[in-house]
Amino acid sequence: MKFKVATIRDQRTPNFIAGEWHPPQSGNYLDSFDPSTGRVWYQAADSGPDDVAAAVTAAQSALKHPAWRDISQSERGRLLYRLAELIEKNREELAQIETQDNGKLIREMRAQLTYLPDYYRYFAGMADKLQGDVIPINKPETLNLTLREPRGVVGIIVPWNSPLYMMSCHVAACLAVG
């Protein structure tokens, strides 16, 4: 699947749903102000219930699609390691964006971005070690076991003051388990 990557420098960021960029159904965008200047530096989609429903439906379809469903635990781990590498490679730019977006001290953002890749590495290492358990019961002819598998779409709400960091703390685990 190929798609154009929108960046903050595009000034207006629509919703990314089902591998494509979509304007919000309302047509409205929210201004993000650079706290150091008070000027709008980009706009984010002002998403409503219909946008959320479309995203959830797309995520549910993706969960069942062979491209995601059939990916091995080891491959998920490799992808998470790659994401950690990309974060490390681009940590200064990410720190600058986070600082401009919410006014966090650049020193603090740089510190967060030095250990943020470790979240992805930790769960990358865990991806192929998650397993079920055999549960003993009083019927020897019966096998009773648990199987760990994805249950569905997860919605994560992150605070405004450290969105990249807080999102990563949750997303890394979700991606590891599929």
Side-chain angles (χ1 to χ4, degrees), residues 50-126:
D50 292 338
D51 299 297
V52 172
V56 168
T57 298
Q60 288 169 332
S61 294
L63 189 65
K64 297 173 186 165
H65 192 279
W68 180 255
R69 181 194 65 217
D70 296 344
I71 193 169
S72 71
Q73 295 91 329
S74 296
E75 182 60 19
R76 278 200 308 270
R78 278 192 287 280
L79 291 171
L80 285 169
Y81 271 114
R82 178 69 179 126
L83 183 53
E85 290 170 0
L86 289 170
I87 291 168
E88 269 186 338
K89 179 181 176 186
N90 296 287
R91 85 171 124 214
E92 181 60 27
E93 182 179 6
L94 292 169
Q96 295 288 336
I97 290 170
E98 285 285 88
T99 297
Q100 186 175 8
D101 189 40
N102 61 39
K104 199 157 197 74
L105 297 174
I106 189 67
R107 180 180 63 226
E108 186 177 354
M109 281 314 309
R110 286 177 178 143
Q112 283 184 3
L113 282 156
T114 59
Y115 56 84
L116 186 67
D118 292 341
Y119 284 101
Y120 290 97
R121 286 192 190 96
Y122 175 83
F123 287 104
M126 184 182 271

